Amino acid sequence: MRTSARVVVIGGGIAGCSTLYHLTQEGWSDVMLLERNELTSGTTWHSAAQVTNFGMNQTMVGLKSHSIRLYKELAEDPDYPITYHHGDGGIRLANTERVMEGYRHFASMARGMGVEFEVIDAAECERRHPLITQGNLLGGLWDPLDGDIDPAQLCQALVRRARKAGAEVYRQTPVTALRQLPDDSWIVSTPHCDIQAEIVVNACGYRVNEVGAMMGVHHPVASMEHQYLLTEEIPAIRDAGHRMPLIRCPIDDFYCRQEKNGLLVGFYEQDCRTWGMDGIDPHFVNALCPDDLDRVTDVFEGAVARIPALGEVGIHTVINGPITYTIDGAPLVGPVPGKRNVFCIIGLRAGLGEGGGHGWLLAQMIVHGEACYDTWILDPRRFTAHGTAELTALKAIEDYQNEFRFHFPHEHRPAGRPVKTTPLYPVLEAEGAVFDVVNGWERLAYIRPDAAFKETHDFRFNETFDVLARDVAAVQSGVGLTEVNGFNRIEITGSGAREWLDGLVCGKLPRRAGRVGLTYLLNDKGCIKSEATLAWLDEDTIWYGSAAAAEWHDFDWLSAHLPKDGNVSLRALTNEMTILLLAGPKARAVLGLVARGDWSASAFPWLSVRRAYVGIAAAVVMAVSYSGEEAFEIHVPISQSLSVWRALRVAGADHDMCLFGSRAIDSMRLEKGYLHWKADLITEFDPFEAGLDRFVDLDKAFLGKHALMARLGSAERRQLVTLAVETDVAPAHAGASVMVVGRVVGTVTSGDWGHRTGLNLALAYVLPEHAAVGTAVSIDIIGLDVPARVIAASPYDPDNRRLRALDT
């Protein structure tokens, strides 16, 4: 064996084989794969191996489309053809109009990625799959490229090509230890020899945490037992003259596809079971769990009702094997949090169908630093310290039980909640709060108008419309109070802090202590990496604030770029502090009642920061706003948040202070053209495309500047625009296609109703020739061709007069 490699990939299933192959495609040949047993001997060998284009967002659609193209190319290789049933077609069934509207949204979203789905009625479903019945069926989503593939042949084909490009593969070579050297390279120990690797990739399937433990890491991945069966021959299939489409059924929690002249039928039963929580037998290789068909009886009965032929045919084989899940069901593909030169490609519950695309994106990240798509949906850092094995197991069960049921907008499922709270959680509960979840934190979304109020989650405007209109009006005319917990906060100290930050951000820093500024960090490609609010507290202390979801992402990025001389230090404050937010024209008056000092507009203007005591608690107060109204963020220790909250409630009583939440803020920020990280601000676009020209200073040096300059002449550019959408039926959800004369010219990133402007608003990246104010377009919203027009980026108070309030 060789004793060194640029990259060592650990694991010989679809994840590892795809990564190895794609690394060679990106030009790296000094790469090695280690497999503890034989290739595909974990989960891959018993996979149902369905290959669909369907995804919940454009990144997932894009990587699945790559898988399909790659698999088709491999199948057609005359020197090493593999079995791939490409283009059998597949139907996702539905029995409610809410689900059908969801399918119409996903069809609109996929169109922007060059993928054409079709929403069909029940009769057409039966015509395309003559074995199903129409009972309790409204229609479905048709994927014309759906199919299935031979798992072992696929992995062997990928490995064959990787070897031809210079990669090496070692079977029967378990990794026994991992040790990181001072230069951040790794020693990978095996029974045969030690290997020095610049980069390590964990692609270990259900053994992911055995390898994770070797480097002091726990990954939020859990395994579930999953059963499917193979039937005897079905005459109607044998005599059909064509292959049957695949079926995925959220009504009865099963899927099926043709296998020879019978069916493969898989189940997602409610009485499901985790696997391997207390360790995995080292000899569990090419192995299965004991059959337990009693557990799936209810689901099987539903499948028979939908496909009566199943009740007339024998069972040939039963398969029960482990498959991996994460907390939200999406894989973990990217850098391992808190580590250098180590990546993972794990939690691939639909590994065969998606694995080609996951390996493709990971190889790009390893070689180039970023992938062609924004990969936050896959990023391992999207879960932080709350991602324990226990929580992962609860969420895996919940996700398994809802396998084919997509999340509706603002739907946060209950398993494991609450995970992270502040002392205000029970107080807000008593007030009638509804909470959304952000990085595990329970964050106030809105206050119910009465105890009987219940929200219907769908793609249309729902019962919360009037509730949010009430909250926005109260903030606009008076004062509102809310908690914004979980907001990422990093304290940066040291004599070199300001100079160091100046080289990281693409714009100007706050001019002096006591001031706050919005800044952007770019990656090596000149595109948007992070958005941060920098508050210069005193000579050597700056607070870095960013989205709650960015907690580990931003800390990793800053840590990786720290100066070597040690004169800058980082300290995470996210889990020590919370924010109480006062907003509205009366906010300054309320603040003055609870904090000593001069809080007049002349003494504490917009974009100021000050240390103070609010009530009895030491706090940091910032005059910043995400709503477009005059607002003050009061940063206090979580342990003292209840004390400050009570003081503010008492002070606000004479000003008719209301409670409001994040949903109202999201509506108001669209009216101001304020952007949301990982919705409107993603790594696929640079700050000029995002309309952030005023935050870029080309007269100074900063990370990503040369790449940014090189992008300016690209023909593939887009422009972020604000759209007024001419419907009061539904908002334009992220991913919806912007159209001109039947052609996709852009994609919506976020949308909502603007209650102060009376406009249905959306943000979208469009081709530059369609970006001028006044341009007419349309948006495919849940299947409706809705007219829209480009308007100015800040339709509410564009001159910021309300933010620059004068003393009265």
Side-chain angles (χ1 to χ4, degrees):
M1 286 182 64
R2 288 174 47 198
T3 58
S4 67
R6 193 168 192 180
V7 182
V8 169
V9 179
I10 308 172
I14 181 59
C17 294
S18 177
T19 302
L20 188 77
Y21 164 73
H22 283 98
L23 284 169
T24 65
Q25 293 297 293
E26 296 298 328
W28 285 16
S29 58
D30 183 13
V31 293
M32 179 187 300
L33 185 148
L34 306 180
E35 164 55 44
R36 72 191 298 273
N37 301 112
E38 296 291 336
L39 298 181
T40 75
S41 59
T43 293
T44 298
W45 75 273
H46 63 72
S47 169
Q50 299 168 110
V51 184
T52 176
N53 247 334
F54 181 79
M56 305 295 286
N57 53 71
Q58 289 194 323
T59 297
M60 293 300 293
V61 171
L63 69 87
K64 290 184 178 188
S65 293
H66 174 82
S67 294
I68 289 172
R69 290 190 299 270
L70 171 63
Y71 298 172
K72 191 169 185 295
E73 178 191 338
L74 293 172
E76 294 171 351
D77 184 345
D79 295 329
Y80 195 85
I82 64 175
T83 302
Y84 176 30
H85 299 122
H86 172 263
D88 289 349
I91 312 172
R92 291 176 183 268
L93 304 180
N95 66 340
T96 69
E97 185 57 36
R98 291 169 62 240
V99 174
M100 291 291 285
E101 288 185 344
Y103 288 163
R104 293 184 185 102
H105 166 69
F106 293 125
S108 173
M109 179 265 295
R111 190 171 300 120
M113 300 299 290
V115 171
E116 291 294 333
F117 293 144
E118 186 181 356
V119 180
I120 57 179
D121 63 18
E124 186 63 15
C125 290
E126 185 177 15
R127 189 189 72 78
R128 297 188 188 190
H129 197 305
L131 295 185
I132 71 171
T133 63
Q134 293 187 45
N136 190 31
L137 183 64
L138 194 59
L141 181 70
W142 171 259
D143 174 3
L145 298 184
D146 218 334
D148 66 89
I149 197 165
D150 184 291
Q153 289 181 5
L154 170 60
C155 290
Q156 293 291 350
L158 291 169
V159 164
R160 174 178 174 271
R161 288 194 173 192
R163 281 177 168 144
K164 288 179 68 175
E168 296 189 9
V169 176
Y170 295 97
R171 298 168 296 124
Q172 302 299 328
T173 307
V175 172
T176 56
L178 291 165
R179 177 167 57 92
Q180 195 160 30
L181 300 178
D183 66 355
D184 291 330
S185 65
W186 291 85
I187 298 296
V188 182
S189 297
T190 77
H192 309 303
C193 67
D194 284 352
I195 304 160
Q196 184 163 1
E198 180 184 331
I199 294 168
V200 170
V201 176
N202 186 343
C204 293
Y206 53 68
R207 295 191 185 275
V208 53
N209 276 310
E210 294 179 9
V211 171
M214 296 178 191
M215 58 182 78
V217 169
H218 169 76
H219 297 284
V221 174
S223 295
M224 301 292 298
E225 289 188 18
H226 177 60
Q227 295 188 93
Y228 66 81
L229 58 82
L230 305 176
T231 74
E232 301 285 0
E233 181 177 271
I234 297 175
I237 294 178
R238 179 195 62 207
D239 301 336
H242 60 84
R243 288 184 59 81
M244 291 288 167
L246 290 80
I247 292 291
R248 296 175 181 84
C249 182
I251 307 167
D252 295 303
D253 298 311
F254 78 94
Y255 62 88
C256 75
R257 66 167 175 83
Q258 183 171 335
E259 177 68 17
K260 297 182 179 178
N261 285 327
L263 288 175
L264 181 156
V265 187
F267 309 99
Y268 290 98
E269 70 279 8
Q270 298 302 296
D271 183 23
C272 54
R273 183 175 299 167
T274 58
W275 179 86
M277 290 290 292
D278 297 317
I280 302 169
D281 186 336
H283 303 294
F284 191 87
V285 177
N286 278 111
L288 295 171
C289 310
D291 301 346
D292 189 2
L293 288 181
D294 289 343
R295 237 175 42 225
V296 301
T297 298
D298 292 347
V299 184
F300 185 70
E301 289 175 352
V304 171
R306 181 65 60 201
I307 306 175
L310 285 174
E312 303 168 2
V313 66
I315 296 173
H316 180 276
T317 304
V318 177
I319 301 292
N320 185 16
I323 56 176
T324 55
Y325 280 76
T326 66
I327 288 175
D328 63 2
L332 304 177
V333 180
V336 171
K339 295 293 180 180
R340 303 281 180 84
N341 292 351
V342 58
F343 295 79
C344 60
I345 176 169
I346 53 180
L348 277 64
R349 78 168 191 255
L352 264 294
E354 303 173 354
H358 290 307
W360 174 55
L361 294 181
L362 181 59
Q364 292 177 54
M365 291 183 234
I366 293 171
V367 175
H368 306 296
E370 298 283 357
C372 57
Y373 305 136
D374 187 282
T375 55
W376 180 246
I377 186 66
L378 309 172
D379 198 304
R381 295 165 296 188
R382 69 187 189 273
F383 306 118
T384 54
H386 65 285
T388 62
E390 288 71 18
L391 176 64
T392 306
L394 290 174
K395 300 305 286 188
I397 291 168
E398 181 181 61
D399 206 56
Y400 187 95
Q401 293 170 332
N402 292 277
E403 176 68 28
F404 298 128
R405 300 183 187 97
F406 54 78
H407 280 77
F408 285 94
H410 300 300
E411 179 188 9
H412 298 274
R413 292 174 180 165
R417 294 176 62 187
V419 179
K420 292 192 283 189
T421 63
T422 73
L424 296 180
Y425 179 78
V427 175
L428 293 170
E429 261 196 323
E431 296 271 11
V434 173
F435 297 93
D436 288 345
V437 180
V438 185
N439 190 21
W441 290 97
E442 298 286 336
R443 182 178 290 178
L444 174 62
Y446 59 88
I447 300 293
R448 295 183 184 89
D450 56 67
F453 181 86
K454 186 175 181 181
E455 180 178 2
T456 303
H457 294 290
D458 59 24
F459 285 84
R460 295 173 175 251
F461 291 119
N462 63 14
E463 300 89 344
T464 64
F465 188 92
D466 291 337
V467 175
L468 301 184
R470 172 205 66 188
D471 292 351
V472 170
V475 171
Q476 183 184 21
S477 62
V479 58
L481 173 66
T482 190
E483 181 186 28
V484 189
N485 49 334
F487 194 77
N488 185 38
R489 175 70 60 213
I490 301 170
E491 185 176 77
I492 304 172
T493 56
S495 59
R498 182 174 173 81
E499 180 182 2
W500 171 65
L501 279 170
D502 196 40
L504 278 185
V505 304
C506 63
K508 290 180 169 61
L509 296 179
R511 298 186 304 276
R512 62 181 185 276
R515 297 296 291 168
V516 179
L518 185 63
T519 60
Y520 294 88
L521 293 81
L522 309 186
N523 58 27
D524 293 329
K525 309 302 178 187
C527 291
I528 298 169
K529 189 71 175 178
S530 295
E531 177 188 63
T533 299
L534 298 181
W536 191 359
L537 291 180
D538 51 47
E539 185 62 31
D540 293 330
T541 305
I542 297 173
W543 272 15
Y544 175 108
S546 59
E551 180 186 351
W552 280 5
H553 174 279
D554 284 11
F555 199 90
D556 269 3
W557 185 254
L558 295 176
S559 299
H561 292 88
L562 279 173
K564 303 299 184 184
D565 58 15
N567 68 349
V568 178
S569 298
L570 307 178
R571 184 165 74 99
L573 299 178
T574 302
N575 297 295
E576 299 177 18
M577 309 289 291
T578 190
I579 301 172
L580 304 183
L581 175 65
L582 281 172
K586 298 180 181 179
R588 193 180 295 272
V590 173
L591 178 61
L593 293 174
V594 294
R596 286 184 289 111
D598 185 353
W599 296 98
S600 65
S602 56
F604 195 69
W606 184 39
L607 300 181
S608 295
V609 59
R610 178 191 296 177
R611 296 185 189 273
Y613 278 86
V614 178
I616 63 171
V620 171
V621 182
M622 300 184 196
V624 294
S625 176
Y626 197 48
S627 64
E629 303 296 341
E630 191 173 22
F632 302 93
E633 290 181 357
I634 304 170
H635 298 250
V636 297
I638 287 176
S639 60
Q640 293 184 286
S641 58
L642 181 57
S643 169
V644 179
W645 178 269
R646 286 177 171 171
L648 290 169
R649 289 287 271 159
V650 171
D654 290 339
H655 296 276
D656 297 322
M657 185 169 70
C658 75
L659 300 184
F660 71 110
S662 60
R663 301 268 189 96
I665 295 173
D666 205 45
S667 163
M668 291 187 279
R669 66 100 180 172
L670 282 170
E671 294 178 303
K672 290 295 297 176
Y674 295 159
L675 309 185
H676 195 292
W677 188 70
K678 292 310 177 188
D680 317 302
L681 300 169
I682 59 177
T683 58
E684 295 172 33
F685 303 108
D686 62 52
F688 292 121
E689 291 175 295
L692 301 172
D693 311 41
R694 65 193 184 280
F695 296 101
V696 181
D697 181 4
L698 293 178
D699 292 330
K700 70 166 200 169
F702 56 85
L703 179 63
K705 177 180 177 179
H706 295 302
L708 175 61
M709 298 296 290
R711 286 179 58 87
L712 298 182
S714 170
E716 298 298 321
R717 297 180 65 74
R718 296 292 186 271
Q719 189 63 50
L720 186 68
V721 298
T722 301
L723 297 168
V725 186
E726 296 179 16
T727 181
D728 58 4
V729 171
H733 295 281
S737 286
V738 181
M739 315 286 292
V740 172
V741 195
R743 182 172 70 98
V744 177
V745 300
T747 298
V748 169
T749 57
S750 53
D752 205 345
W753 189 269
H755 292 279
R756 294 172 299 190
T757 57
L759 296 173
N760 189 355
L761 297 169
L763 298 177
Y765 283 98
V766 301
L767 294 170
E769 57 266 33
H770 302 287
V773 171
T775 301
V777 296
S778 65
I779 306 177
D780 181 353
I781 300 177
I782 56 173
L784 305 172
D785 185 30
V786 178
R789 71 183 189 282
V790 179
I791 62 173
S794 181
Y796 180 74
D797 187 28
D799 297 324
N800 292 327
R801 294 180 182 275
R802 297 181 70 85
L803 294 175
R804 304 176 189 275
L806 300 177
D807 293 335
T808 58

